[in-house]
Amino acid sequence: MADPDPAVRQGTGEQSPSYGGASSRPSRGRSVAAIICLVLAALLTTPAAVAFWGQRTLNDTGRYVETVGPLVQSPEVQDVIATTVTDAIEQQVDIEALLDDIFADVITDRPRLERLVGPLAAAINGLIDREVRALVASDEFAAFWTRLNARAQQALLRVLTGDESGAVALEGDQIVLNVDQVINRAKERLVARGLTVVENVPIPETERQIVLMDAPQVKQLQTIYAFGNPVARWLLPLVGLLFLVAFVLARNRPRMTVAIGAALAVNALLIALAQSVGGQLFVNELAGTVFGPASRVFFDTLLAFLDRGQQVVFWLGLVLMLAGWFAGSNRYGSAVRTTTSGGLERAGGALAGAGTGVGRAGRWTTDNAGWLRVVVVVLGGVVLLWGNDVSMSRLWWSLALVLVLLAGIQVLVGAGREPASTPRPRPVSPEAATAPAP
């Protein structure tokens, strides 16, 4: 007698070895592929986030100006600029020597001359300092700062691409910021106040610059920029795609959701650590320079968008871990899920029983609940990522939207289900329908 068909053997509770092996291999391959995608995405998340921040902040003039614009209100930055401009003017105009020459023929008594010249020179130098600081704190300078940084961002790109012209330039092993226009505007204000002696004073090129960074590795940065910039824009979307593929391929999707959330949270902590270390290195690099006191403020402001994204990624990771736990088969998650969904469905059933007319919509929702939940989650992701301007408020709004819509779906599911106490009518045959009553 021939062996029964494998399908028949399966129906009787038996299974041929060949059939069992064929079914398990794709399952194992799918699980391995999901794990590979998860690991790759986890390893690439931190470099992808940093690369995307750099691409968006440094390459986009509008985003760069929006990032560094608040620096003009920083007392540390104002002090650095005012000190540089004041020193540049005072070093080229020896007020005390100038006054000494003016009054030498009038006052021959040297001690009396010194007593007169000293206070006058201090007063004039104080006037220079006050006028420069008033300029730096003015709305006029704020508008100038915006224009200066727009040009500086474009010049920084020229530095990274090897072009050494512009407001920010690479000179030897130093990256410098030219403040020539600020000095000229300060001199105009001083002339308007009557200090005409500074009008035609030449300021050496070396006095018109603020050294931003000693950068002996700039050539290496230029090489990295040349190779990394083209892929920086797409690396983060690739990470998101890898996470999505890992979720789709996973056999246990709630557990995979927890794993994805944990990967995001860990990477957010790594980004925070990298910011802390990088900030300290940046401050140490500029310690002892004129820009040193403002280096921390500058670094924190420049990385403001990355810091905001890091916070969103961390909390998103925690939310995904909680969602995976809620959807999982663990005892507590199942209990919470059953209680929540049961309460929402009872509310929907009560609405349907009250004659609100939601029963028909509820039946349609019950038949399509699976893909409707997917659409809701995708909609939440779109709200969070729209315009590449993620923030904590955007995260909470998108999460609230998802929760409200999912709850609404569950209420409609309850409204679309017939009450268990309502008996279904039994079919009646035509003969019984036409038969006379006994």
Side-chain angles (χ1 to χ4, degrees), residues 45 261 264-265 267-268 271 308-318:
T45 297
L264 291 177
N267 273 279
I271 293 173
R308 195 169 70 185
Q310 174 265 326
Q311 296 179 36
V312 171
V313 170
F314 177 75
W315 284 100
L316 178 61
L318 296 184

Side-chain angles (χ1 to χ4, degrees), residues 22-178:
S23 64
S24 61
R25 279 195 298 270
S27 178
R28 285 197 300 268
R30 177 174 174 175
S31 299
V32 170
I35 293 174
I36 291 175
C37 290
L38 174 64
V39 172
L40 286 176
L43 293 176
L44 291 175
T45 297
T46 295
V50 174
F52 187 77
W53 161 81
Q55 195 275 333
R56 285 282 295 159
T57 301
L58 299 182
N59 285 2
D60 188 325
T61 301
R63 172 63 67 88
Y64 180 83
V65 171
E66 183 182 356
T67 300
V68 301
L71 283 172
V72 73
Q73 305 299 331
S74 167
E76 294 87 352
V77 173
Q78 290 183 0
D79 184 67
V80 166
I81 297 174
T83 300
T84 301
V85 174
T86 301
D87 290 347
I89 295 175
E90 290 181 351
Q91 288 177 9
Q92 299 307 310
V93 182
D94 190 341
I95 300 297
E96 189 167 347
L98 182 63
L99 293 175
D100 190 65
D101 290 339
I102 293 175
F103 293 106
D105 295 335
V106 178
I107 303 175
T108 57
D109 186 0
R110 189 65 186 177
R112 293 179 59 192
L113 178 62
E114 291 177 355
R115 287 196 297 270
L116 173 65
V117 168
L120 284 176
I124 294 175
N125 287 331
L127 172 65
I128 295 174
D129 183 71
R130 287 194 301 273
E131 284 299 312
V132 171
R133 292 183 183 276
L135 169 64
V136 172
S138 66
D139 293 337
E140 176 189 358
F141 182 77
F144 168 77
W145 176 262
T146 299
R147 296 192 301 270
L148 173 67
N149 275 283
R151 291 193 294 269
Q153 180 270 341
Q154 297 166 4
L156 180 60
L157 289 183
R158 288 195 291 269
V159 170
L160 292 175
T161 55
D163 185 350
E164 300 180 3
S165 62
V168 175
L170 174 65
E171 296 189 1
D173 287 339
Q174 292 180 330
I175 296 179
V176 298
L177 170 66
N178 290 326

Side-chain angles (χ1 to χ4, degrees), residues 34 39 46 175 189 205 215 231-232 272 279 331 347-348 397-398 427:
V39 172
T46 295
I175 296 179
R189 289 173 64 101
E205 188 65 30
V231 301
R331 183 176 62 179
W397 278 113
S398 61

